[in-house]
Amino acid sequence: MKLTRFASLTLAGALSLTMLVGCGGTETKTQDTTNAAQGSGTQTAAAASDLQYVMDKGKLTIGYTVYEPMNYTDKDGKFTGFDTEFAEAVCKKLGVTPDFQEINWDTKVVELDAKSIDCIWNGMTITDELKQNIAISDPYVKNMQVVVIKSANKDKFKDTASLAAANITAEAGSAGEKAIAADANLSKANYVSVTKQTDSLLEVQSGASDAAILDWTLAKHMIGEGTDFADLMIVDGLELSVEEYGIGFRKGSDLTAKVNEIKAELVKDGTLPALAEKYGLSLAE
């Protein structure tokens, strides 16, 4: 799928370049079109730095999915969250405007390489696979994968062995999906992927799935008493993996080092620790 998208982008870029030259397009426009069509995310001699690209645009386009408490809309209709406020603080120091764009999580790297977005900032788990394809910031938040079930089933599902023949769900391309594949018992279960982590909770609530494997950071905010998923619970003591979150940039992007620098400043001045306390999260060391 990535190769097909790349080929389409390359062809589209070539056609766009021809049209711009024929219509008297400027050198800047043709340069941007060529860069967007490259798709590999690597910096070339002809391409300006990612940092300069963002500064020239005057905005940082941020790819996200709805994921409380990282990026979500609160009850008052305000778009907020830990990552939302973190990104806003970084953009303020950069002197640019944050531009949040909702994406399909399963194609996040394709969106990044195509320059539809400038970064992936949405509670992204750092993995060796992602490191091969994109640049990733220093870790900033700790997380783990947990199992969510109906409270009525708490005596039925206590460990992964009891879920080996169950119906389970997770977000496509997520750390939860990888945790399922890595566990000897969960990998035997009847697995169905969904587009968003919140959809996995709906699957369990409706009874379509017996369990959802997802981020602790999201689950602890969205389920239990006083939430829309009051009948759901986290299986106590069942932690499938411990991980860290990072911000994704194009391979070779100089934005990575700049954001790391600003992140360190926000830790030192107390901004990030205060946000972590506000949203009930643990900062990575």
Side-chain angles (χ1 to χ4, degrees), residues 224-236:
E225 187 177 351
T227 72
D228 292 336
F229 300 97
D231 56 337
L232 303 188
M233 63 171 283
I234 296 172
V235 177
D236 188 39

Side-chain angles (χ1 to χ4, degrees), residues 84-94 262 266 271 275:
T84 304
E85 292 199 49
F86 182 12
E88 288 171 343
V90 168
C91 285
K92 183 176 181 179
K93 283 183 172 288
L94 283 174
I262 295 175
L266 294 174
T271 300
L275 284 178

Side-chain angles (χ1 to χ4, degrees), residues 6 10 20 22 31 48 50 70 72 83 88 122 126 152 157 162 174 178 180 192 194 208 221 225 235 242 253 279:
F6 173 78
T10 304
L20 284 170
Q31 179 72 58
D50 249 8
M70 311 311 284
Y72 66 102
D83 276 341
E88 288 171 343
N122 186 227
I126 299 172
F157 301 120
S162 62
S174 69
K178 290 179 175 61
I180 291 171
V192 175
V194 292
H221 281 82
E225 187 177 351
V235 177
V242 178
S253 174
Y279 290 100

Side-chain angles (χ1 to χ4, degrees), residues 33-209:
T33 305
T34 303
N35 290 346
Q38 286 171 347
S40 66
T42 55
Q43 298 295 325
T44 68
S49 74
D50 249 8
L51 177 58
Q52 191 60 53
Y53 171 68
V54 167
M55 299 298 287
D56 288 345
K57 285 195 305 176
K59 66 179 181 180
L60 179 69
T61 304
I62 301 159
Y64 79 96
T65 62
V66 177
Y67 174 9
E68 188 175 353
M70 311 311 284
N71 307 88
Y72 66 102
T73 301
D74 66 17
K75 293 180 180 179
D76 296 324
K78 179 184 177 183
F79 185 65
T80 189
F82 179 90
D83 276 341
T84 304
E85 292 199 49
F86 182 12
E88 288 171 343
V90 168
C91 285
K92 183 176 181 179
K93 283 183 172 288
L94 283 174
V96 298
T97 301
D99 175 27
F100 295 95
Q101 297 290 332
E102 189 169 2
I103 60 172
N104 182 326
W105 192 249
D106 206 26
T107 58
K108 57 187 177 293
V109 176
V110 176
E111 296 289 343
L112 186 64
D113 286 347
K115 282 196 171 182
S116 300
I117 56 175
D118 298 315
C119 61
I120 306 163
W121 205 327
N122 186 227
M124 183 186 73
T125 301
I126 299 172
T127 66
D128 291 337
E129 181 182 357
L130 279 173
K131 287 179 180 178
Q132 293 176 6
N133 296 297
I134 63 175
I136 303 178
S137 72
D138 293 335
Y140 63 92
V141 160
K142 296 177 183 177
N143 185 41
M144 66 189 78
Q145 294 302 302
V146 295
V147 179
V148 171
I149 61 172
K150 280 191 173 181
S151 300
N153 291 329
K154 65 180 180 179
D155 293 327
K156 182 178 180 180
F157 301 120
K158 295 183 176 181
D159 51 28
T160 60
S162 62
L163 290 163
N167 297 315
I168 60 176
T169 183
E171 179 186 56
S174 69
E177 187 174 71
K178 290 179 175 61
I180 291 171
D183 186 272
N185 292 314
L186 294 180
S187 60
K188 297 175 185 177
N190 302 309
Y191 170 64
V192 175
S193 67
V194 292
T195 303
K196 298 182 293 186
Q197 292 198 69
T198 48
D199 289 343
S200 71
L201 296 178
L202 289 170
E203 286 280 305
V204 176
Q205 188 177 58
S206 70
S209 293

